[in-house]
Amino acid sequence: MKFIIKLHPEITIKSKSVRQRMSKILQSNIRNVLKPLDENIKIRSDWDKLIVRTNILTEPHRLAMIEALACIPGIQSFLEVKECKVESLDEILTLTEEMFGDKLAGKTFCVRAKRRGQQSFSSLDVERYVGGGLNQRCETGGVRLKNPDVQVNLELDGERLYLVSDQHAGMGGYPIATQESVLSLMSGGYDSGVSSYQFIKRGSRVHYCFFNLGGAEHEAGVREVVYYLWKKFGSSHRVKFISVPFEEVVGEILAKVDNGHMGVVLKRMMMRAGAAVAEKLAINALVTGESMGQVSSQTVTNLNVIDRVTDTLILRPLIAADKQDIIDVARQIGTAPYAEKMPEYCGVISKSPTIKAKLSKVEHEEANFDFGVLDTAIQASFVEDVRKLEQKWELPEVEFSQGADVAEVILDIRAPEEEEEAPLTVPGHKVVTMPFFKLASQFTELDPDKTYLLYCARGVMSRLQAIHLKEQGFDNVKVYKP
């Protein structure tokens, strides 16, 4: 089984040295991806193409090869080729009829032949003989040399005939590692998945950084989509997954920052942490899925204020993309199903977020922030090889309760502003308030012999926090959802 790999056009217009370097890297990448399918895979480099050969001839193997090649950055398209030994024009005609006869029914066609080596006939002889024979033997729509319905491609090398049975689209772009590495700030939604994919396609090794705002379920979902992206499009190279515990950072923001500026300050803290992680990994750029005007923190003014927090380059490939266009790409590349089921997080939601933050005002708000909390989060970052993400997290089951027994305590974990605006009252029960961002430090102070029913408005935060507490060994928690 043979495949002819066509390089992405942007590679072919490079200088000779750059083209050779990129071609060599692509050859290595293809070998890394295909080796699990065939340890004895053969890859030969030509000036404008690569030749891939495998001696495994089963249909499942063929389909696996096609799927893998279609997802390797740097490949514009590839031809699927059948190889046969021939000695005469009649043998060439017979073999071509076997492969293309059914495809020519009622259609116009032409034959194009390329020839190398010593034969007693020319390329033109092959085209005329095979074309005339197919027209006589098959019920075609006739020969048409310009714009035919079907073009039959033949290639001869000495006694070997190569029949191009099909052409497949590749991913395009540059081979991975021909461009510098980047650190993608992953939320697991549509935007961050698509922006990561675009940099994989552009030839970067994409490492992934996730800011855990308090949900083990959210991190489990992000780990799944990161592993999918790497396995599908980037498995030629090893990359890192970094999880940064951001619960305490969120708590500081909710406690110390003006409501309207919370979103901008949170993004600035993420950029600070992302830049610190990138520096440790010797990476010079951050990638986000931000799109202008999509949410309040993504206005031009607010993005400018956010960017001032670091000298690290921040790349936003989706900045002018429409949301529906982003969703369409996510469906095309296969990340949409992960984004659709990604757990929602409702921790930092400003009632009236500013869309035109002033740098001086933001810096004034940050003056109240304890940056020791941010430093602690950065130091506690957990770095993993992306290959380990294949093992799914087993999240503990959480029990929901519509009512509360006498011995159970209702714990309102909403943010103080939300709790003050709509206090929770349950007849016959005392409600204890403890904002979710203080659970990590204060839950241990509660009576361990009692069961606590965690409450928030939509049941999202309470479920995430209940899972988090169960992972820490606390079995005396449920979710209160009246």
Side-chain angles (χ1 to χ4, degrees):
M1 194 181 302
K2 174 181 173 183
F3 297 92
I4 300 176
I5 309 298
K6 302 294 184 180
L7 305 181
H8 179 56
E10 287 189 48
I11 300 175
T12 62
I13 62 174
K14 301 292 184 185
S15 66
K16 180 179 179 180
S17 60
V18 173
R19 181 172 177 167
Q20 288 176 335
R21 180 179 67 86
M22 287 190 170
S23 181
K24 186 176 181 179
I25 291 173
L26 177 57
Q27 185 176 356
S28 176
N29 292 354
I30 293 173
R31 189 180 306 280
N32 290 341
V33 173
L34 298 185
K35 194 171 182 180
L37 299 177
D38 180 2
E39 290 188 355
N40 300 312
I41 198 81
K42 304 294 183 185
I43 305 173
R44 177 171 61 86
S45 178
D46 229 333
W47 172 241
D48 62 346
K49 59 183 176 292
L50 297 172
I51 311 298
V52 176
R53 291 176 181 272
T54 175
N55 292 324
I56 303 175
L57 304 179
T58 65
E59 182 64 10
H61 179 70
R62 169 184 166 272
L63 295 176
M65 291 279 289
I66 293 171
E67 182 179 3
L69 289 170
C71 297
I72 298 176
I75 297 177
Q76 181 67 12
S77 63
F78 55 99
L79 304 176
E80 188 178 353
V81 179
K82 181 180 179 181
E83 183 177 341
C84 310
K85 185 176 180 180
V86 294
E87 295 181 355
S88 66
L89 287 173
D90 194 57
E91 285 183 305
I92 296 174
L93 171 58
T94 300
L95 291 168
T96 305
E97 182 186 3
E98 289 176 0
M99 177 170 289
F100 290 97
D102 293 340
K103 300 177 182 179
L104 301 179
K107 296 181 180 179
T108 60
F109 76 100
C110 73
V111 177
R112 297 291 181 227
K114 292 183 179 180
R115 185 181 62 86
R116 291 189 300 273
Q118 297 295 321
Q119 294 106 1
S120 60
F121 40 80
S122 67
S123 297
L124 187 58
D125 291 335
V126 174
E127 292 175 357
R128 287 173 174 171
Y129 189 89
V130 174
L134 291 175
N135 198 36
Q136 290 179 355
R137 297 183 183 186
C138 307
E139 296 181 359
T140 72
V143 175
R144 182 190 293 171
L145 299 181
K146 290 186 178 180
N147 301 317
D149 296 326
V150 178
Q151 179 170 304
V152 177
N153 296 307
L154 307 178
E155 185 176 340
L156 288 152
D157 188 352
E159 295 182 340
R160 310 303 297 180
L161 169 66
Y162 300 102
L163 293 164
V164 178
S165 59
D166 209 344
Q167 178 170 329
H168 304 277
M171 186 174 168
Y174 289 137
I176 293 178
T178 58
Q179 309 303 315
E180 295 177 75
S181 298
V182 298
L183 181 67
S184 178
L185 308 186
M186 282 290 293
S187 68
Y190 292 105
D191 305 336
S192 59
V194 171
S195 61
S196 299
Y197 164 80
Q198 290 187 341
F199 272 90
I200 295 173
K201 181 177 178 179
R202 202 59 186 165
S204 290
R205 288 177 67 180
V206 178
H207 302 266
Y208 303 89
C209 183
F210 169 66
F211 298 103
N212 193 331
L213 305 180
E217 188 177 34
H218 189 182
E219 178 162 347
V222 172
R223 291 165 71 93
E224 280 189 33
V225 70
V226 165
Y227 182 78
Y228 170 84
L229 277 169
W230 171 79
K231 186 68 175 177
K232 184 78 172 177
F233 304 107
S235 61
S236 59
H237 288 76
R238 298 180 184 180
V239 299
K240 304 292 185 184
F241 175 78
I242 303 94
S243 178
V244 185
F246 240 54
E247 296 171 278
E248 297 297 327
V249 175
V250 171
E252 271 292 295
I253 292 173
L254 290 170
K256 306 282 184 67
V257 176
D258 170 72
N259 186 278
H261 290 82
M262 286 181 179
V264 172
V265 171
L266 176 61
K267 286 293 182 69
R268 280 168 60 92
M269 295 301 169
M270 288 179 173
M271 295 305 171
R272 286 186 173 101
V277 171
E279 185 177 6
K280 290 181 182 179
L281 298 175
I283 295 173
N284 295 322
L286 305 178
V287 172
T288 80
E290 291 164 313
S291 175
M292 186 168 63
Q294 193 175 113
V295 296
S296 60
S297 65
Q298 294 175 19
T299 62
V300 170
T301 298
N302 286 355
L303 290 173
N304 183 32
V305 171
I306 291 168
D307 286 3
R308 299 292 187 89
V309 80
T310 179
D311 292 330
T312 304
L313 177 64
I314 301 173
L315 300 170
R316 298 182 172 94
L318 307 181
I319 193 64
D322 293 337
K323 187 66 176 184
Q324 188 57 53
D325 293 337
I326 297 170
I327 293 173
D328 290 343
V329 175
R331 287 173 177 158
Q332 173 191 334
I333 65 177
T335 58
Y338 297 94
E340 290 164 1
K341 68 178 183 180
M342 197 61 62
E344 185 180 8
Y345 182 83
C346 53
V348 181
I349 300 177
S350 300
K351 296 177 183 177
S352 300
T354 181
I355 59 172
K356 290 190 176 181
K358 293 183 178 180
L359 182 61
S360 58
K361 173 62 175 174
V362 171
E363 291 176 338
H364 174 74
E365 291 295 323
E366 290 182 345
N368 300 319
F369 188 91
D370 180 3
F371 280 90
V373 173
L374 180 63
D375 293 337
T376 299
I378 294 170
Q379 292 300 319
S381 300
F382 186 68
V383 182
E384 286 184 87
D385 188 312
V386 72
R387 293 173 297 175
K388 294 183 178 179
L389 305 188
E390 183 178 12
Q391 299 176 348
K392 293 186 178 181
W393 274 13
E394 294 295 332
L395 298 175
E397 293 291 330
V398 176
E399 185 178 344
F400 285 78
S401 179
Q402 293 182 325
D405 295 337
V406 176
E408 294 176 330
V409 178
I410 298 174
L411 201 61
D412 188 343
I413 65 168
R414 292 176 296 170
E417 296 86 355
E418 188 179 359
E419 187 273 327
E420 289 174 5
E421 184 175 322
L424 176 66
T425 57
V426 180
H429 280 275
K430 179 183 178 181
V431 177
V432 177
T433 60
M434 181 179 290
F436 71 93
F437 53 85
K438 292 186 177 180
L439 283 175
S441 58
Q442 296 185 7
F443 191 80
T444 55
E445 300 174 7
L446 300 176
D447 186 351
D449 295 326
K450 293 185 178 295
T451 297
Y452 296 90
L453 308 184
L454 277 53
Y455 171 80
C456 70
R458 289 181 289 173
V460 176
M461 178 61 69
S462 53
R463 182 171 180 269
L464 294 177
Q465 291 298 329
I467 291 174
H468 191 53
L469 289 170
K470 279 184 169 290
E471 285 189 321
Q472 293 179 322
F474 297 102
D475 294 323
N476 56 335
V477 290
K478 300 180 183 178
V479 174
Y480 182 55
K481 199 168 183 181

